[in-house]
Each structure stands twice: as C-alpha cells, then as structure tokens.
Amino acid sequence: MIKISDSIALEDWEITESFHRSSGPGGQNVNKVSTAVELRFEAARSPNLPPYVKNRLRTLAGRKWTKDGALIITAEKHRSQAMNRELAMEKLVALILKATERPKYRVKTRPTLASKRRRLEGKKQRSQIKSLRGKISE
C-alpha cells in the first residue's frame, strides 16, 4: 500500500510494473539489462481516488492517460532498475498530489470608470502622435 496523503492510499493491485531496455545512460549494459520501468496505474478503476481527483488527473496526465483509464509513467533516467522504479513512483505520487489541489476560483471584476478613461486618453494621445507622422501639406 502506497500512502499519498491522509485520505488517499493506493492498493498494490492498482499498480503494475513492466521492465524494458532503456535508451538512457549505461554503455554496453543498456543492451543487456532491462532497466527502464513502465508503471501502469489503473486510475479510472481506483476506489481510493475521489471523482474530482480522477478528472483533474486525466487533464494533467495528457497523453499518459490511456483509453482504458490507466495512467502510464515511464522512467529510464538511471542505470539501475531499482532507482528507476523509485523515480517512477515519485512521479506518480507527485502527479496525484498535484491533482488533489483544487484550483483557485477566479472572481470576475469590471474595470473602473477611471481606468476606462485612462485607456481612452492613452489611445487619443497615441492616435495624435501617429497622425503627425503623415505628409505635411502647405
């Protein structure tokens, strides 16, 4: 069980790991050992995530979200499989934590009368400057 926050914890069955050959650093070792990690998290089927977190997670994940509702995270930065597994889990936890933060509600405001006047005054001045650039008539 992986604890994300006080209210969210992921079960072991929700996460599957697969390993393949990495394209990152490692020299000849890259051709022999499967160090890259592909972590698959069944987010849509997860009973531990609230619906609003699932929706935000889908938008944050982008192309990492599959049609099945799974979140796929890859890690191939390090030469060792253990470090890549750890990195993939950190990425998953960070993404879920970011999805739990509710966006700030924006309150619409109207421009003040003084700001409208200042804007129009500036436009008039600019217009006058540009009109003086024309040809001089005798």
Side-chain angles (χ1 to χ4, degrees), residues 45-135:
R45 297 188 306 145
S46 176
N48 301 321
L49 291 179
Y52 72 92
V53 174
K54 288 180 187 178
N55 290 335
R56 260 199 295 283
L57 192 61
R58 185 181 301 124
T59 56
L60 286 173
R63 292 177 61 193
K64 296 174 191 169
W65 189 273
T66 64
K67 290 180 183 177
D68 305 334
L71 181 65
I72 296 177
I73 295 174
T74 57
E76 54 182 38
K77 184 180 179 182
H78 302 288
R79 292 180 182 204
S80 72
Q81 193 179 77
M83 289 179 79
N84 282 330
R85 286 177 77 187
E86 198 174 304
L87 179 65
M89 289 303 291
E90 287 173 8
K91 284 182 180 181
L92 176 66
V93 170
L95 197 60
I96 293 173
L97 282 175
K98 193 172 182 183
T100 58
E101 296 171 3
R102 292 183 186 251
K104 214 173 188 181
Y105 181 72
R106 184 186 178 276
V107 179
K108 294 180 182 176
T109 58
R110 288 177 51 193
T112 62
L113 190 60
S115 68
K116 287 181 184 176
R117 286 185 181 147
R118 281 192 301 269
R119 184 179 66 87
L120 292 174
E121 198 60 40
K123 286 170 76 77
K124 282 180 189 172
Q125 287 177 358
R126 194 78 196 142
S127 171
Q128 190 177 12
I129 289 170
K130 287 188 173 188
S131 68
L132 292 173
R133 288 184 189 157
K135 290 184 180 178

Side-chain angles (χ1 to χ4, degrees), residues 2 13 16 21 27-29 32 47 54 70 81 83 103-104:
I2 302 155
W13 65 267
T16 56
R21 292 201 178 125
Q28 291 178 351
N29 198 44
K32 295 185 279 183
K54 288 180 187 178
Q81 193 179 77
M83 289 179 79
K104 214 173 188 181

